[in-house]
Amino acid sequence: MKNSRKAILMALSMAVATGAMAEEKQLVSPDGRMTVTVSDEGGKPTYTVSRSGITFVEKSPLGVKLNFADMTEGLTMKTCDVQTVKDEYDLKTTKQSHITYEATEGICQFDKSGYRMDIVFRVSNRDVAYRYKLYSKRNRGGETLVAVVENEASGFVLPEGTTTFLCPQSKPMGGFARTSPSYETSYTLDDQMGKNGWGEGYSFPCLFKNGDKGWVLISETGTDGNYVGCRLLNEGGAKYRIGFPQQGEMNGVGSTSAAVSLPSETPWRTITCGETLQNIVETTVANDLVQPKYKASKNYTYGKGSWSWIIGMDSSCNFDEQKRYIDFSAAMGWRSVLIDALWDKQIGYEKMAELARYAKSKGVGIFLWYNSNGRWNDAPQSPLNKMDRSSARRQEMAWMQQNGILGIKVDFFGGDKQPMMQLYEDILTDANEFGIQVIFHGCTLPRGWERMYPNYVASEAVLASENLHFGQGACDAEAFNGCIHPFIRNTVGSMDFGGSTLNKFYNADNKRGTVRRTSDVYALATAVLFQSSVQHFAMAPNNLTDAPSWAVDFMKQVPTTWDEVRFIDGYPGKYVIMARRSGDKWFVVGINAEQQPLKKTITLPMFEKNSALSVYSDDAQLNGSVKQVKQNKRQQLTVTIPQNGGIVVTQ
């Protein structure tokens, strides 16, 4: 009994001593509002995040497990060196063209029996980010120069009462032709914590509402072929953590862990906080934390294009129809045509070269679709086996370069294991050598790739426009989904959605098929809301005669590259109003998914007082029109948006 009491007293004494000796460091943003507190209490590294004194992330675990060392416990924080970091860069392919970044950086060194791990924090005025730097260790037999990162302890414990806005990750080898996971599932909004999606966690980015105190967006950036793409797992209640890929991804090929050479830096975990959704919508953190991996081989240009497949499906990928779409793009003043699956069989390489010459004579370029496969799913669409290995890929790209092909759209990946992340990087790297731009489809989320890879354009990673063709349910929910993407998916990376149709039906004759529920003004608004520097719209040649001339004229002129974004108002799944600037011209746009018309008086300081504005709007029956309206002296405008309708205001 005495020995038992003695053991208890010793344990309590050690616990008190450990707590007393715990190191703690506070890192504060340049404006003093964001604070990160780092601790090694109990030998376990943790952090908290607060904004203006309000907790947004409670004490949460840090660390990684390596195949030769557990760097999640038994650690001591030796030092935490603090400095200010600044960066300034230009980027034509995302929401803001010129970015000035400033943050407080803390490099916190943790040691364990001779092993060292740095946790590097960046705290800017709206974002917190951290990553791990892993070091080699000298042993009797030499030096440990390689490691396997088996998993991360990286966690996010959210305050009680937080609600979730999340997209469940699919199980592997499911869905169409066993191509999942491909980040194409429906969001669950305003839900309670404690769930784990469909059992496999959630796809990034992940949005949370901190009661009435504000919003939190969690994601990652800087992922390349040196690591795995991650997801967010719920471990019960308010605790979420980083999850590595599922074993079954890529048809079981490859490990779920990451093999790294030492020293090595992991991708960044990012946390964006704000009292409103403004910081979420306007954040540039995905690109602030990364650097270009190579120089652009040419001066890449961007713009609009047409795309027959969304209306005409596979049968439209023939020579005559593509020639008609080339003429359509030329008539619209657009830059390109995207020619989708099966072109190699239904058009052929020789006739495709002829089409490319014809397109060039019309001032139009061509994007070509490719299957990523490979051996990781059953997707049968061709061209197959051209993008998955270097020799075939480079031979194909040399042919493209010879024939003036602008870019490629590569589809059907399905997985986030390290070999797949390496494939993304290899495709981009080879394509740049041949001056080819790259769009990914049926794919993972981009993670800072606009800045890392100069020829990268966009990724799907969302339930995109093809679903509007495939099922009436997607058409019925189009506005609901459209009111989600500006707050979640499109906040962290370019989104290849392929929407903005002016057809009434998703069929080539525009008389049958799934019925579009949204208005023409909605189509114009989403051309601005959904950000991608290359947009292949779902318009068709018949729209030149069967769509309103004011809508067609707008779609001829709408930009695809932007200099600035401003959040005005909105709520995920209900409505959104925001503004984008291209050059000196502003576009204020909004859409509404709620049953009742949305009536708002909005302040528009981007327009001069008493400006004459062009306002595209809908009546109660979704009949659109454009009118000239004078903004009042208070720079305010009252707008009404019916359900499934839109608003566009520009000079």
Side-chain angles (χ1 to χ4, degrees):
M1 191 69 171
K2 289 182 180 180
N3 288 339
S4 177
R5 288 177 180 173
K6 185 177 181 181
I8 292 171
L9 289 171
M10 287 182 64
L12 289 171
S13 176
M14 288 179 65
V16 171
T18 301
M21 296 176 62
E23 287 291 331
E24 188 173 282
K25 185 70 177 181
Q26 281 198 340
L27 307 169
V28 182
S29 63
D31 68 357
R33 298 183 67 185
M34 296 279 283
T35 302
V36 172
T37 303
V38 188
S39 173
D40 66 354
E41 184 177 359
K44 295 183 178 182
T46 62
Y47 74 105
T48 62
V49 178
S50 64
R51 179 175 173 84
S52 300
I54 297 170
T55 300
F56 277 73
V57 178
E58 296 184 346
K59 183 177 287 188
S60 301
L62 296 163
V64 299
K65 284 190 177 181
L66 307 176
N67 59 327
F68 60 81
D70 183 351
M71 302 298 284
T72 66
E73 58 185 10
L75 297 167
T76 302
M77 182 163 58
K78 294 292 187 180
T79 62
C80 193
D81 297 328
V82 180
Q83 63 178 345
T84 298
V85 295
K86 296 181 180 181
D87 192 12
E88 192 169 347
Y89 62 96
D90 295 319
L91 197 59
K92 295 186 290 186
T93 55
T94 187
K95 66 179 76 170
Q96 187 167 322
S97 63
H98 181 78
I99 296 97
T100 300
Y101 174 70
E102 182 177 357
T104 301
E105 180 180 78
I107 303 176
C108 302
Q109 179 184 333
F110 288 84
D111 283 3
K112 177 181 180 178
S113 302
Y115 291 104
R116 175 183 172 184
M117 173 184 71
D118 291 346
I119 307 180
V120 182
F121 283 90
R122 292 273 185 91
V123 187
S124 70
N125 292 343
R126 61 188 173 201
D127 308 294
V128 171
Y130 65 87
R131 70 176 174 185
Y132 306 101
K133 186 169 184 178
L134 310 172
Y135 292 89
S136 61
K137 177 179 169 58
R138 186 162 296 280
N139 303 308
R140 290 181 180 179
E143 190 173 8
T144 304
L145 295 176
V146 297
V148 175
V149 183
E150 295 178 344
N151 57 64
E152 294 186 21
S154 309
F156 312 86
V157 179
L158 300 167
E160 184 179 352
T162 294
T163 50
T164 70
F165 299 72
L166 302 175
C167 181
Q169 182 134 144
S170 302
K171 292 184 182 297
M173 303 299 288
F176 171 75
R178 298 198 297 167
T179 56
S180 66
S182 53
Y183 291 61
E184 297 180 42
T185 58
S186 298
Y187 286 85
T188 301
L189 307 183
D190 290 297
D191 204 1
Q192 62 186 11
M193 295 188 293
K195 301 178 182 180
N196 196 36
W198 299 341
E200 307 301 336
Y202 301 97
S203 299
F204 286 126
C206 298
L207 181 66
F208 301 87
K209 188 172 186 288
N210 185 14
D212 59 359
K213 301 177 183 68
W215 298 81
V216 182
L217 184 77
I218 297 174
S219 194
E220 65 178 2
T221 192
T223 308
D224 58 16
N226 293 313
Y227 213 72
V228 295
C230 295
R231 55 197 163 121
L232 200 63
L233 301 176
N234 181 269
E235 295 192 320
K239 184 178 180 181
Y240 295 81
R241 71 170 178 86
I242 291 292
F244 278 16
Q246 304 169 62
Q247 180 58 52
E249 294 177 16
M250 290 186 69
N251 200 22
V253 174
S255 169
T256 62
S257 56
V260 299
S261 60
L262 300 173
S264 178
E265 294 174 326
T266 68
W268 294 93
R269 312 296 164 214
T270 66
I271 306 163
T272 303
C273 303
E275 291 80 6
T276 71
L277 284 160
Q278 179 179 358
N279 283 357
I280 308 301
V281 170
E282 298 179 10
T283 182
T284 56
V285 67
N287 292 300
D288 293 339
L289 299 166
V290 301
Q291 294 292 328
K293 295 179 74 70
Y294 50 74
K295 291 183 178 180
S297 65
K298 61 188 283 189
N299 182 23
Y300 291 108
T301 59
Y302 311 92
K304 302 175 285 293
S306 62
W307 176 40
S308 71
W309 185 88
I310 183 61
I311 299 296
M313 296 279 108
D314 291 347
S315 63
S316 72
C317 292
N318 63 73
F319 184 90
D320 291 339
E321 186 69 349
Q322 295 311 307
K323 191 173 182 180
R324 191 166 77 101
Y325 267 79
I326 289 169
D327 291 340
F328 173 51
S329 280
M332 294 292 292
W334 289 353
R335 171 177 176 259
S336 64
V337 167
L338 168 63
I339 302 179
D340 218 284
L342 304 174
W343 63 264
D344 59 324
K345 295 180 178 179
Q346 296 175 185
I347 297 174
Y349 281 80
E350 185 176 337
K351 295 293 284 183
M352 182 57 71
E354 182 182 337
L355 267 180
R357 291 191 296 271
Y358 178 76
K360 184 178 180 180
S361 74
K362 295 284 187 175
V364 175
I366 289 176
F367 276 71
L368 290 178
W369 185 96
Y370 282 85
N371 196 324
S372 78
N373 252 343
R375 56 196 181 280
W376 33 83
N377 55 55
D378 300 323
Q381 289 86 348
S382 62
L384 278 160
N385 303 309
K386 300 289 188 180
M387 290 293 136
D388 61 311
R389 55 181 63 89
S390 178
S391 57
R393 181 170 60 241
R394 292 179 63 82
Q395 183 177 344
E396 195 78 2
M397 289 177 176
W399 172 85
M400 288 186 235
Q401 184 183 51
Q402 181 182 359
N403 288 281
I405 302 301
L406 283 179
I408 54 177
K409 178 177 178 177
V410 188
D411 206 341
F412 297 133
F413 287 88
D416 285 334
K417 290 180 178 178
Q418 191 170 7
M420 189 64 84
M421 306 313 288
Q422 185 66 61
L423 178 63
Y424 286 114
E425 186 166 33
D426 289 346
I427 290 173
L428 286 160
T429 304
D430 282 349
N432 180 65
E433 187 172 331
F434 292 96
I436 294 166
Q437 294 177 305
V438 180
I439 299 169
F440 292 124
H441 216 64
C443 58
T444 193
L445 181 78
R447 294 160 166 90
W449 292 356
E450 290 94 340
R451 193 177 183 197
M452 292 165 67
Y453 307 105
N455 58 322
Y456 168 80
V457 173
S459 297
E460 182 186 24
V462 72
L463 272 172
S465 61
E466 63 259 33
N467 296 281
L468 301 171
H469 188 122
F470 294 149
Q472 188 59 47
C475 288
D476 297 343
E478 182 181 3
F480 169 76
N481 289 316
C483 290
I484 296 173
H485 306 321
F487 299 116
I488 307 179
R489 165 63 182 88
N490 218 179
T491 61
V492 297
S494 299
M495 182 176 73
D496 183 47
F497 189 84
S500 295
T501 187
L502 293 177
N503 264 26
K504 299 298 182 185
F505 299 87
Y506 279 90
N507 191 278
D509 63 12
N510 203 13
K511 295 179 180 178
R512 54 194 171 88
T514 54
V515 182
R516 178 165 61 99
R517 301 298 189 194
T518 56
S519 72
D520 290 339
V521 181
Y522 176 98
L524 309 192
T526 53
V528 176
L529 278 175
F530 298 164
Q531 184 269 314
S532 174
S533 59
V534 174
Q535 292 265 27
H536 289 111
F537 293 122
M539 288 178 62
N542 52 276
N543 295 150
L544 290 172
T545 57
D546 64 11
S549 59
W550 52 263
V552 174
D553 289 343
F554 179 91
M555 294 301 293
K556 288 180 179 179
Q557 302 298 325
V558 64
T560 64
T561 55
W562 304 100
D563 295 299
E564 189 176 351
V565 61
R566 291 188 194 175
F567 169 72
I568 297 175
D569 200 359
Y571 193 92
K574 295 183 179 180
Y575 69 97
V576 56
I577 304 173
M578 59 188 288
R580 295 192 192 273
R581 177 177 62 85
S582 179
D584 59 359
K585 188 167 185 177
W586 281 95
F587 294 78
V588 177
V589 298
I591 57 175
N592 178 33
E594 295 190 285
Q595 290 186 356
Q596 297 301 315
L598 175 72
K599 187 173 182 178
K600 288 278 183 179
T601 298
I602 53 178
T603 302
L604 303 176
M606 65 282 296
F607 299 124
E608 293 183 5
K609 294 178 181 179
N610 299 316
S611 293
L613 304 175
S614 296
V615 178
Y616 300 76
S617 61
D618 291 308
D619 63 18
Q621 288 72 45
L622 298 184
N623 296 311
S625 63
V626 57
K627 297 176 182 177
Q628 297 300 308
V629 176
K630 192 174 183 180
Q631 185 181 220
N632 67 25
K633 292 180 180 179
R634 295 182 179 179
Q635 294 176 289
Q636 293 179 327
L637 192 67
T638 299
V639 299
T640 300
I641 312 174
Q643 184 183 30
N644 294 326
I647 190 83
V648 177
V649 183
T650 189
Q651 293 160 303

